[in-house]
Amino acid sequence: MPYEAAVAEMEARAEAIRAGGAPECVWLLEHPPLYTAGTSAREADLVEPGRFPVHRTGRGGQFTYHGPGQRVAYVMLDLTRRRADLRAYVAALETWIIATLDAFNVRAERREDRVGVWVRRPEKGEGAEDKIAAIGIRVRRWVSFHGISLNVEPDLAHFSGIVPCGIRGHGVTSLVDLGHPVSLPEVDMQLRAAFEAVFGETVLVP
């Protein structure tokens, strides 16, 4: 789905949730290849400005990539009904991703000094780690929007046009890159199961 259209629909839904006119929503989709710049993005981290479209966005964080083979989940939750604590919310998102990856026998971890979800890569050298999922959120009047992106089978070369999330010295990976040839529908099933374990029951909307 085109990025600008998705953001417009997401923001409208978040506003409806705030007004009490719509239920919470987790929206799973893919985007064409593009870069997004969060509110903390540094221009020096846009290595190849003309490679893909660059979208300035209101989410937190720095530059990230979206593209085919990556599952993007826009998470629109009323945190006043849950827990009005941003740190706890980000930790819950990380727990959700880690539990999803565990279903595919991938051990992923959080880092106190780096947002996102990471996988150790000892075959690349001592201390080597790759990022497998990014988190970038915004909260307005305690309704969350934007969310997460999980690398299932994107073209990892596309990340080279930016410094992902402003973090140098570490790479990016995906489920397929780690030797787990799974499909997006398979990942979606595990995302839903893990989400329910962390956040509560869901209803599938076609």
PDB file of all heavy atoms in Angstrom, residues 158-197:
ATOM      1  N   HIS A 158      18.603  -3.030   0.153  1.00  0.00           N
ATOM      2  CA  HIS A 158      17.907  -1.753   0.150  1.00  0.00           C
ATOM      3  C   HIS A 158      18.178  -0.928   1.416  1.00  0.00           C
ATOM      4  O   HIS A 158      17.965   0.281   1.423  1.00  0.00           O
ATOM      5  CB  HIS A 158      16.402  -1.972  -0.006  1.00  0.00           C
ATOM      6  CG  HIS A 158      16.016  -2.436  -1.374  1.00  0.00           C
ATOM      7  ND1 HIS A 158      14.708  -2.720  -1.714  1.00  0.00           N
ATOM      8  CD2 HIS A 158      16.746  -2.659  -2.491  1.00  0.00           C
ATOM      9  CE1 HIS A 158      14.656  -3.106  -2.979  1.00  0.00           C
ATOM     10  NE2 HIS A 158      15.886  -3.077  -3.469  1.00  0.00           N
ATOM     11  N   PHE A 159      18.624  -1.589   2.474  1.00  0.00           N
ATOM     12  CA  PHE A 159      18.932  -0.865   3.711  1.00  0.00           C
ATOM     13  C   PHE A 159      20.214  -0.055   3.593  1.00  0.00           C
ATOM     14  O   PHE A 159      20.478   0.808   4.431  1.00  0.00           O
ATOM     15  CB  PHE A 159      19.060  -1.845   4.884  1.00  0.00           C
ATOM     16  CG  PHE A 159      17.757  -2.389   5.391  1.00  0.00           C
ATOM     17  CD1 PHE A 159      17.207  -3.526   4.827  1.00  0.00           C
ATOM     18  CD2 PHE A 159      17.084  -1.765   6.432  1.00  0.00           C
ATOM     19  CE1 PHE A 159      16.000  -4.049   5.287  1.00  0.00           C
ATOM     20  CE2 PHE A 159      15.881  -2.276   6.907  1.00  0.00           C
ATOM     21  CZ  PHE A 159      15.336  -3.415   6.332  1.00  0.00           C
ATOM     22  N   SER A 160      21.020  -0.321   2.564  1.00  0.00           N
ATOM     23  CA  SER A 160      22.325   0.332   2.457  1.00  0.00           C
ATOM     24  C   SER A 160      22.225   1.811   2.100  1.00  0.00           C
ATOM     25  O   SER A 160      23.208   2.546   2.209  1.00  0.00           O
ATOM     26  CB  SER A 160      23.194  -0.386   1.422  1.00  0.00           C
ATOM     27  OG  SER A 160      22.635  -0.262   0.116  1.00  0.00           O
ATOM     28  N   GLY A 161      21.044   2.268   1.698  1.00  0.00           N
ATOM     29  CA  GLY A 161      20.872   3.673   1.360  1.00  0.00           C
ATOM     30  C   GLY A 161      20.687   4.573   2.563  1.00  0.00           C
ATOM     31  O   GLY A 161      20.628   5.801   2.420  1.00  0.00           O
ATOM     32  N   ILE A 162      20.606   3.988   3.752  1.00  0.00           N
ATOM     33  CA  ILE A 162      20.453   4.747   4.991  1.00  0.00           C
ATOM     34  C   ILE A 162      21.338   4.127   6.067  1.00  0.00           C
ATOM     35  O   ILE A 162      21.866   3.030   5.895  1.00  0.00           O
ATOM     36  CB  ILE A 162      18.984   4.744   5.503  1.00  0.00           C
ATOM     37  CG1 ILE A 162      18.493   3.294   5.692  1.00  0.00           C
ATOM     38  CG2 ILE A 162      18.068   5.524   4.574  1.00  0.00           C
ATOM     39  CD1 ILE A 162      17.146   3.172   6.382  1.00  0.00           C
ATOM     40  N   VAL A 163      21.483   4.843   7.163  1.00  0.00           N
ATOM     41  CA  VAL A 163      22.001   4.244   8.393  1.00  0.00           C
ATOM     42  C   VAL A 163      20.760   3.886   9.204  1.00  0.00           C
ATOM     43  O   VAL A 163      20.124   4.781   9.780  1.00  0.00           O
ATOM     44  CB  VAL A 163      22.914   5.212   9.170  1.00  0.00           C
ATOM     45  CG1 VAL A 163      23.366   4.555  10.470  1.00  0.00           C
ATOM     46  CG2 VAL A 163      24.096   5.623   8.314  1.00  0.00           C
ATOM     47  N   PRO A 164      20.343   2.616   9.204  1.00  0.00           N
ATOM     48  CA  PRO A 164      19.060   2.261   9.816  1.00  0.00           C
ATOM     49  C   PRO A 164      18.984   2.678  11.288  1.00  0.00           C
ATOM     50  O   PRO A 164      19.838   2.300  12.101  1.00  0.00           O
ATOM     51  CB  PRO A 164      19.001   0.739   9.670  1.00  0.00           C
ATOM     52  CG  PRO A 164      19.894   0.438   8.500  1.00  0.00           C
ATOM     53  CD  PRO A 164      21.001   1.454   8.603  1.00  0.00           C
ATOM     54  N   CYS A 165      17.997   3.491  11.584  1.00  0.00           N
ATOM     55  CA  CYS A 165      17.750   3.970  12.948  1.00  0.00           C
ATOM     56  C   CYS A 165      18.954   4.695  13.542  1.00  0.00           C
ATOM     57  O   CYS A 165      19.066   4.822  14.766  1.00  0.00           O
ATOM     58  CB  CYS A 165      17.315   2.817  13.858  1.00  0.00           C
ATOM     59  SG  CYS A 165      15.808   1.997  13.279  1.00  0.00           S
ATOM     60  N   GLY A 166      19.851   5.170  12.669  1.00  0.00           N
ATOM     61  CA  GLY A 166      21.006   5.923  13.127  1.00  0.00           C
ATOM     62  C   GLY A 166      22.052   5.097  13.840  1.00  0.00           C
ATOM     63  O   GLY A 166      22.954   5.649  14.486  1.00  0.00           O
ATOM     64  N   ILE A 167      21.966   3.769  13.716  1.00  0.00           N
ATOM     65  CA  ILE A 167      22.870   2.880  14.453  1.00  0.00           C
ATOM     66  C   ILE A 167      23.939   2.347  13.505  1.00  0.00           C
ATOM     67  O   ILE A 167      23.646   1.615  12.558  1.00  0.00           O
ATOM     68  CB  ILE A 167      22.091   1.718  15.104  1.00  0.00           C
ATOM     69  CG1 ILE A 167      21.082   2.271  16.116  1.00  0.00           C
ATOM     70  CG2 ILE A 167      23.053   0.741  15.773  1.00  0.00           C
ATOM     71  CD1 ILE A 167      20.118   1.239  16.646  1.00  0.00           C
ATOM     72  N   ARG A 168      25.178   2.719  13.766  1.00  0.00           N
ATOM     73  CA  ARG A 168      26.303   2.244  12.967  1.00  0.00           C
ATOM     74  C   ARG A 168      26.968   1.062  13.679  1.00  0.00           C
ATOM     75  O   ARG A 168      26.880   0.919  14.885  1.00  0.00           O
ATOM     76  CB  ARG A 168      27.311   3.368  12.743  1.00  0.00           C
ATOM     77  CG  ARG A 168      26.698   4.584  12.044  1.00  0.00           C
ATOM     78  CD  ARG A 168      27.688   5.729  11.908  1.00  0.00           C
ATOM     79  NE  ARG A 168      27.026   6.928  11.375  1.00  0.00           N
ATOM     80  CZ  ARG A 168      26.898   7.197  10.088  1.00  0.00           C
ATOM     81  NH1 ARG A 168      27.386   6.341   9.184  1.00  0.00           N
ATOM     82  NH2 ARG A 168      26.287   8.298   9.678  1.00  0.00           N
ATOM     83  N   GLY A 169      27.626   0.223  12.912  1.00  0.00           N
ATOM     84  CA  GLY A 169      28.367  -0.881  13.510  1.00  0.00           C
ATOM     85  C   GLY A 169      27.590  -2.166  13.639  1.00  0.00           C
ATOM     86  O   GLY A 169      28.129  -3.172  14.105  1.00  0.00           O
ATOM     87  N   HIS A 170      26.326  -2.157  13.263  1.00  0.00           N
ATOM     88  CA  HIS A 170      25.507  -3.366  13.282  1.00  0.00           C
ATOM     89  C   HIS A 170      24.756  -3.467  11.957  1.00  0.00           C
ATOM     90  O   HIS A 170      24.502  -2.459  11.294  1.00  0.00           O
ATOM     91  CB  HIS A 170      24.516  -3.357  14.441  1.00  0.00           C
ATOM     92  CG  HIS A 170      25.170  -3.370  15.791  1.00  0.00           C
ATOM     93  ND1 HIS A 170      25.778  -4.499  16.305  1.00  0.00           N
ATOM     94  CD2 HIS A 170      25.328  -2.400  16.710  1.00  0.00           C
ATOM     95  CE1 HIS A 170      26.280  -4.210  17.498  1.00  0.00           C
ATOM     96  NE2 HIS A 170      26.018  -2.943  17.770  1.00  0.00           N
ATOM     97  N   GLY A 171      24.391  -4.694  11.586  1.00  0.00           N
ATOM     98  CA  GLY A 171      23.709  -4.911  10.324  1.00  0.00           C
ATOM     99  C   GLY A 171      22.227  -5.152  10.486  1.00  0.00           C
ATOM    100  O   GLY A 171      21.644  -4.919  11.562  1.00  0.00           O
ATOM    101  N   VAL A 172      21.610  -5.595   9.403  1.00  0.00           N
ATOM    102  CA  VAL A 172      20.197  -5.971   9.420  1.00  0.00           C
ATOM    103  C   VAL A 172      20.076  -7.398   8.909  1.00  0.00           C
ATOM    104  O   VAL A 172      20.915  -7.879   8.150  1.00  0.00           O
ATOM    105  CB  VAL A 172      19.333  -5.018   8.559  1.00  0.00           C
ATOM    106  CG1 VAL A 172      19.255  -3.647   9.183  1.00  0.00           C
ATOM    107  CG2 VAL A 172      19.865  -4.933   7.133  1.00  0.00           C
ATOM    108  N   THR A 173      19.029  -8.057   9.323  1.00  0.00           N
ATOM    109  CA  THR A 173      18.786  -9.426   8.899  1.00  0.00           C
ATOM    110  C   THR A 173      17.294  -9.639   8.726  1.00  0.00           C
ATOM    111  O   THR A 173      16.486  -8.725   8.918  1.00  0.00           O
ATOM    112  CB  THR A 173      19.381 -10.433   9.907  1.00  0.00           C
ATOM    113  OG1 THR A 173      19.332 -11.753   9.345  1.00  0.00           O
ATOM    114  CG2 THR A 173      18.641 -10.417  11.230  1.00  0.00           C
ATOM    115  N   SER A 174      16.928 -10.849   8.331  1.00  0.00           N
ATOM    116  CA  SER A 174      15.523 -11.213   8.141  1.00  0.00           C
ATOM    117  C   SER A 174      15.357 -12.689   8.490  1.00  0.00           C
ATOM    118  O   SER A 174      16.347 -13.421   8.662  1.00  0.00           O
ATOM    119  CB  SER A 174      15.102 -10.975   6.686  1.00  0.00           C
ATOM    120  OG  SER A 174      15.785 -11.889   5.826  1.00  0.00           O
ATOM    121  N   LEU A 175      14.129 -13.108   8.581  1.00  0.00           N
ATOM    122  CA  LEU A 175      13.879 -14.532   8.844  1.00  0.00           C
ATOM    123  C   LEU A 175      14.494 -15.405   7.760  1.00  0.00           C
ATOM    124  O   LEU A 175      15.129 -16.425   8.048  1.00  0.00           O
ATOM    125  CB  LEU A 175      12.370 -14.775   8.945  1.00  0.00           C
ATOM    126  CG  LEU A 175      11.752 -14.472  10.308  1.00  0.00           C
ATOM    127  CD1 LEU A 175      10.236 -14.352  10.197  1.00  0.00           C
ATOM    128  CD2 LEU A 175      12.120 -15.551  11.320  1.00  0.00           C
ATOM    129  N   VAL A 176      14.319 -15.013   6.505  1.00  0.00           N
ATOM    130  CA  VAL A 176      14.879 -15.806   5.407  1.00  0.00           C
ATOM    131  C   VAL A 176      16.401 -15.779   5.439  1.00  0.00           C
ATOM    132  O   VAL A 176      17.066 -16.805   5.233  1.00  0.00           O
ATOM    133  CB  VAL A 176      14.313 -15.327   4.057  1.00  0.00           C
ATOM    134  CG1 VAL A 176      15.061 -15.964   2.893  1.00  0.00           C
ATOM    135  CG2 VAL A 176      12.826 -15.658   3.969  1.00  0.00           C
ATOM    136  N   ASP A 177      16.985 -14.623   5.718  1.00  0.00           N
ATOM    137  CA  ASP A 177      18.437 -14.505   5.816  1.00  0.00           C
ATOM    138  C   ASP A 177      18.993 -15.413   6.908  1.00  0.00           C
ATOM    139  O   ASP A 177      20.109 -15.935   6.790  1.00  0.00           O
ATOM    140  CB  ASP A 177      18.808 -13.049   6.102  1.00  0.00           C
ATOM    141  CG  ASP A 177      20.309 -12.811   6.190  1.00  0.00           C
ATOM    142  OD1 ASP A 177      21.022 -13.208   5.245  1.00  0.00           O
ATOM    143  OD2 ASP A 177      20.760 -12.232   7.187  1.00  0.00           O
ATOM    144  N   LEU A 178      18.209 -15.640   7.950  1.00  0.00           N
ATOM    145  CA  LEU A 178      18.626 -16.508   9.056  1.00  0.00           C
ATOM    146  C   LEU A 178      18.348 -17.983   8.776  1.00  0.00           C
ATOM    147  O   LEU A 178      18.593 -18.833   9.633  1.00  0.00           O
ATOM    148  CB  LEU A 178      17.922 -16.086  10.349  1.00  0.00           C
ATOM    149  CG  LEU A 178      18.313 -14.715  10.906  1.00  0.00           C
ATOM    150  CD1 LEU A 178      17.383 -14.324  12.047  1.00  0.00           C
ATOM    151  CD2 LEU A 178      19.768 -14.706  11.370  1.00  0.00           C
ATOM    152  N   GLY A 179      17.821 -18.279   7.589  1.00  0.00           N
ATOM    153  CA  GLY A 179      17.582 -19.671   7.216  1.00  0.00           C
ATOM    154  C   GLY A 179      16.203 -20.178   7.538  1.00  0.00           C
ATOM    155  O   GLY A 179      15.998 -21.391   7.660  1.00  0.00           O
ATOM    156  N   HIS A 180      15.245 -19.265   7.649  1.00  0.00           N
ATOM    157  CA  HIS A 180      13.863 -19.651   7.954  1.00  0.00           C
ATOM    158  C   HIS A 180      12.967 -19.168   6.813  1.00  0.00           C
ATOM    159  O   HIS A 180      12.437 -18.047   6.861  1.00  0.00           O
ATOM    160  CB  HIS A 180      13.425 -19.046   9.281  1.00  0.00           C
ATOM    161  CG  HIS A 180      14.248 -19.505  10.441  1.00  0.00           C
ATOM    162  ND1 HIS A 180      13.980 -20.648  11.157  1.00  0.00           N
ATOM    163  CD2 HIS A 180      15.374 -18.971  10.981  1.00  0.00           C
ATOM    164  CE1 HIS A 180      14.883 -20.803  12.100  1.00  0.00           C
ATOM    165  NE2 HIS A 180      15.744 -19.799  12.028  1.00  0.00           N
ATOM    166  N   PRO A 181      12.771 -19.975   5.775  1.00  0.00           N
ATOM    167  CA  PRO A 181      11.976 -19.557   4.607  1.00  0.00           C
ATOM    168  C   PRO A 181      10.485 -19.626   4.889  1.00  0.00           C
ATOM    169  O   PRO A 181       9.795 -20.572   4.524  1.00  0.00           O
ATOM    170  CB  PRO A 181      12.396 -20.562   3.532  1.00  0.00           C
ATOM    171  CG  PRO A 181      12.759 -21.789   4.303  1.00  0.00           C
ATOM    172  CD  PRO A 181      13.339 -21.318   5.604  1.00  0.00           C
ATOM    173  N   VAL A 182       9.969 -18.600   5.544  1.00  0.00           N
ATOM    174  CA  VAL A 182       8.558 -18.561   5.912  1.00  0.00           C
ATOM    175  C   VAL A 182       7.854 -17.490   5.083  1.00  0.00           C
ATOM    176  O   VAL A 182       8.480 -16.576   4.556  1.00  0.00           O
ATOM    177  CB  VAL A 182       8.368 -18.283   7.419  1.00  0.00           C
ATOM    178  CG1 VAL A 182       9.007 -19.397   8.238  1.00  0.00           C
ATOM    179  CG2 VAL A 182       8.962 -16.942   7.811  1.00  0.00           C
ATOM    180  N   SER A 183       6.552 -17.599   4.986  1.00  0.00           N
ATOM    181  CA  SER A 183       5.761 -16.646   4.209  1.00  0.00           C
ATOM    182  C   SER A 183       5.168 -15.585   5.122  1.00  0.00           C
ATOM    183  O   SER A 183       5.074 -15.758   6.347  1.00  0.00           O
ATOM    184  CB  SER A 183       4.630 -17.386   3.489  1.00  0.00           C
ATOM    185  OG  SER A 183       3.707 -17.904   4.437  1.00  0.00           O
ATOM    186  N   LEU A 184       4.727 -14.492   4.520  1.00  0.00           N
ATOM    187  CA  LEU A 184       4.056 -13.450   5.302  1.00  0.00           C
ATOM    188  C   LEU A 184       2.799 -13.967   5.998  1.00  0.00           C
ATOM    189  O   LEU A 184       2.576 -13.642   7.166  1.00  0.00           O
ATOM    190  CB  LEU A 184       3.740 -12.245   4.414  1.00  0.00           C
ATOM    191  CG  LEU A 184       4.931 -11.347   4.067  1.00  0.00           C
ATOM    192  CD1 LEU A 184       4.528 -10.305   3.033  1.00  0.00           C
ATOM    193  CD2 LEU A 184       5.483 -10.657   5.301  1.00  0.00           C
ATOM    194  N   PRO A 185       1.934 -14.765   5.337  1.00  0.00           N
ATOM    195  CA  PRO A 185       0.770 -15.289   6.057  1.00  0.00           C
ATOM    196  C   PRO A 185       1.153 -16.136   7.279  1.00  0.00           C
ATOM    197  O   PRO A 185       0.472 -16.083   8.318  1.00  0.00           O
ATOM    198  CB  PRO A 185       0.042 -16.130   4.998  1.00  0.00           C
ATOM    199  CG  PRO A 185       0.403 -15.469   3.708  1.00  0.00           C
ATOM    200  CD  PRO A 185       1.832 -15.053   3.883  1.00  0.00           C
ATOM    201  N   GLU A 186       2.245 -16.891   7.178  1.00  0.00           N
ATOM    202  CA  GLU A 186       2.690 -17.675   8.338  1.00  0.00           C
ATOM    203  C   GLU A 186       3.140 -16.751   9.466  1.00  0.00           C
ATOM    204  O   GLU A 186       2.838 -16.994  10.641  1.00  0.00           O
ATOM    205  CB  GLU A 186       3.844 -18.596   7.930  1.00  0.00           C
ATOM    206  CG  GLU A 186       3.445 -19.758   7.052  1.00  0.00           C
ATOM    207  CD  GLU A 186       4.651 -20.543   6.566  1.00  0.00           C
ATOM    208  OE1 GLU A 186       5.550 -19.937   5.956  1.00  0.00           O
ATOM    209  OE2 GLU A 186       4.674 -21.760   6.795  1.00  0.00           O
ATOM    210  N   VAL A 187       3.838 -15.701   9.098  1.00  0.00           N
ATOM    211  CA  VAL A 187       4.269 -14.729  10.108  1.00  0.00           C
ATOM    212  C   VAL A 187       3.063 -14.040  10.730  1.00  0.00           C
ATOM    213  O   VAL A 187       3.010 -13.822  11.947  1.00  0.00           O
ATOM    214  CB  VAL A 187       5.240 -13.711   9.480  1.00  0.00           C
ATOM    215  CG1 VAL A 187       5.524 -12.553  10.445  1.00  0.00           C
ATOM    216  CG2 VAL A 187       6.542 -14.400   9.090  1.00  0.00           C
ATOM    217  N   ASP A 188       2.079 -13.706   9.909  1.00  0.00           N
ATOM    218  CA  ASP A 188       0.883 -13.039  10.427  1.00  0.00           C
ATOM    219  C   ASP A 188       0.167 -13.891  11.475  1.00  0.00           C
ATOM    220  O   ASP A 188      -0.336 -13.374  12.477  1.00  0.00           O
ATOM    221  CB  ASP A 188      -0.077 -12.710   9.282  1.00  0.00           C
ATOM    222  CG  ASP A 188       0.456 -11.634   8.351  1.00  0.00           C
ATOM    223  OD1 ASP A 188       1.439 -10.951   8.729  1.00  0.00           O
ATOM    224  OD2 ASP A 188      -0.098 -11.482   7.249  1.00  0.00           O
ATOM    225  N   MET A 189       0.110 -15.192  11.243  1.00  0.00           N
ATOM    226  CA  MET A 189      -0.531 -16.079  12.215  1.00  0.00           C
ATOM    227  C   MET A 189       0.179 -16.020  13.558  1.00  0.00           C
ATOM    228  O   MET A 189      -0.466 -15.949  14.615  1.00  0.00           O
ATOM    229  CB  MET A 189      -0.542 -17.517  11.681  1.00  0.00           C
ATOM    230  CG  MET A 189      -1.506 -17.771  10.549  1.00  0.00           C
ATOM    231  SD  MET A 189      -1.396 -19.480   9.944  1.00  0.00           S
ATOM    232  CE  MET A 189      -1.811 -20.397  11.436  1.00  0.00           C
ATOM    233  N   GLN A 190       1.501 -16.034  13.520  1.00  0.00           N
ATOM    234  CA  GLN A 190       2.256 -15.985  14.766  1.00  0.00           C
ATOM    235  C   GLN A 190       2.218 -14.605  15.404  1.00  0.00           C
ATOM    236  O   GLN A 190       2.210 -14.482  16.633  1.00  0.00           O
ATOM    237  CB  GLN A 190       3.700 -16.428  14.510  1.00  0.00           C
ATOM    238  CG  GLN A 190       3.841 -17.858  14.032  1.00  0.00           C
ATOM    239  CD  GLN A 190       3.230 -18.863  14.999  1.00  0.00           C
ATOM    240  OE1 GLN A 190       3.189 -18.641  16.215  1.00  0.00           O
ATOM    241  NE2 GLN A 190       2.743 -19.987  14.467  1.00  0.00           N
ATOM    242  N   LEU A 191       2.194 -13.559  14.577  1.00  0.00           N
ATOM    243  CA  LEU A 191       2.037 -12.211  15.127  1.00  0.00           C
ATOM    244  C   LEU A 191       0.731 -12.095  15.906  1.00  0.00           C
ATOM    245  O   LEU A 191       0.693 -11.520  16.998  1.00  0.00           O
ATOM    246  CB  LEU A 191       2.065 -11.177  13.999  1.00  0.00           C
ATOM    247  CG  LEU A 191       3.428 -10.739  13.473  1.00  0.00           C
ATOM    248  CD1 LEU A 191       3.281  -9.932  12.188  1.00  0.00           C
ATOM    249  CD2 LEU A 191       4.184  -9.915  14.523  1.00  0.00           C
ATOM    250  N   ARG A 192      -0.332 -12.640  15.342  1.00  0.00           N
ATOM    251  CA  ARG A 192      -1.622 -12.546  16.019  1.00  0.00           C
ATOM    252  C   ARG A 192      -1.620 -13.326  17.334  1.00  0.00           C
ATOM    253  O   ARG A 192      -2.086 -12.821  18.366  1.00  0.00           O
ATOM    254  CB  ARG A 192      -2.738 -13.054  15.100  1.00  0.00           C
ATOM    255  CG  ARG A 192      -4.119 -12.876  15.725  1.00  0.00           C
ATOM    256  CD  ARG A 192      -5.226 -13.401  14.843  1.00  0.00           C
ATOM    257  NE  ARG A 192      -6.518 -13.194  15.490  1.00  0.00           N
ATOM    258  CZ  ARG A 192      -7.649 -13.722  15.062  1.00  0.00           C
ATOM    259  NH1 ARG A 192      -7.661 -14.472  13.955  1.00  0.00           N
ATOM    260  NH2 ARG A 192      -8.771 -13.493  15.701  1.00  0.00           N
ATOM    261  N   ALA A 193      -1.079 -14.548  17.306  1.00  0.00           N
ATOM    262  CA  ALA A 193      -1.048 -15.359  18.523  1.00  0.00           C
ATOM    263  C   ALA A 193      -0.209 -14.689  19.607  1.00  0.00           C
ATOM    264  O   ALA A 193      -0.610 -14.637  20.784  1.00  0.00           O
ATOM    265  CB  ALA A 193      -0.513 -16.755  18.204  1.00  0.00           C
ATOM    266  N   ALA A 194       0.952 -14.167  19.224  1.00  0.00           N
ATOM    267  CA  ALA A 194       1.821 -13.516  20.202  1.00  0.00           C
ATOM    268  C   ALA A 194       1.217 -12.209  20.701  1.00  0.00           C
ATOM    269  O   ALA A 194       1.348 -11.865  21.888  1.00  0.00           O
ATOM    270  CB  ALA A 194       3.204 -13.271  19.592  1.00  0.00           C
ATOM    271  N   PHE A 195       0.543 -11.474  19.819  1.00  0.00           N
ATOM    272  CA  PHE A 195      -0.107 -10.226  20.227  1.00  0.00           C
ATOM    273  C   PHE A 195      -1.157 -10.513  21.305  1.00  0.00           C
ATOM    274  O   PHE A 195      -1.246  -9.800  22.304  1.00  0.00           O
ATOM    275  CB  PHE A 195      -0.764  -9.554  19.026  1.00  0.00           C
ATOM    276  CG  PHE A 195      -1.402  -8.233  19.346  1.00  0.00           C
ATOM    277  CD1 PHE A 195      -0.695  -7.052  19.215  1.00  0.00           C
ATOM    278  CD2 PHE A 195      -2.726  -8.162  19.782  1.00  0.00           C
ATOM    279  CE1 PHE A 195      -1.278  -5.833  19.519  1.00  0.00           C
ATOM    280  CE2 PHE A 195      -3.315  -6.954  20.090  1.00  0.00           C
ATOM    281  CZ  PHE A 195      -2.590  -5.779  19.967  1.00  0.00           C
ATOM    282  N   GLU A 196      -1.950 -11.558  21.092  1.00  0.00           N
ATOM    283  CA  GLU A 196      -3.002 -11.874  22.058  1.00  0.00           C
ATOM    284  C   GLU A 196      -2.415 -12.243  23.415  1.00  0.00           C
ATOM    285  O   GLU A 196      -3.003 -11.936  24.455  1.00  0.00           O
ATOM    286  CB  GLU A 196      -3.885 -12.986  21.514  1.00  0.00           C
ATOM    287  CG  GLU A 196      -4.742 -12.531  20.332  1.00  0.00           C
ATOM    288  CD  GLU A 196      -5.751 -13.579  19.888  1.00  0.00           C
ATOM    289  OE1 GLU A 196      -5.537 -14.779  20.161  1.00  0.00           O
ATOM    290  OE2 GLU A 196      -6.767 -13.176  19.278  1.00  0.00           O
ATOM    291  N   ALA A 197      -1.247 -12.885  23.405  1.00  0.00           N
ATOM    292  CA  ALA A 197      -0.613 -13.255  24.670  1.00  0.00           C
ATOM    293  C   ALA A 197      -0.125 -12.026  25.434  1.00  0.00           C
ATOM    294  O   ALA A 197      -0.098 -12.014  26.669  1.00  0.00           O
ATOM    295  CB  ALA A 197       0.555 -14.204  24.409  1.00  0.00           C
TER     296      ALA A 197
END
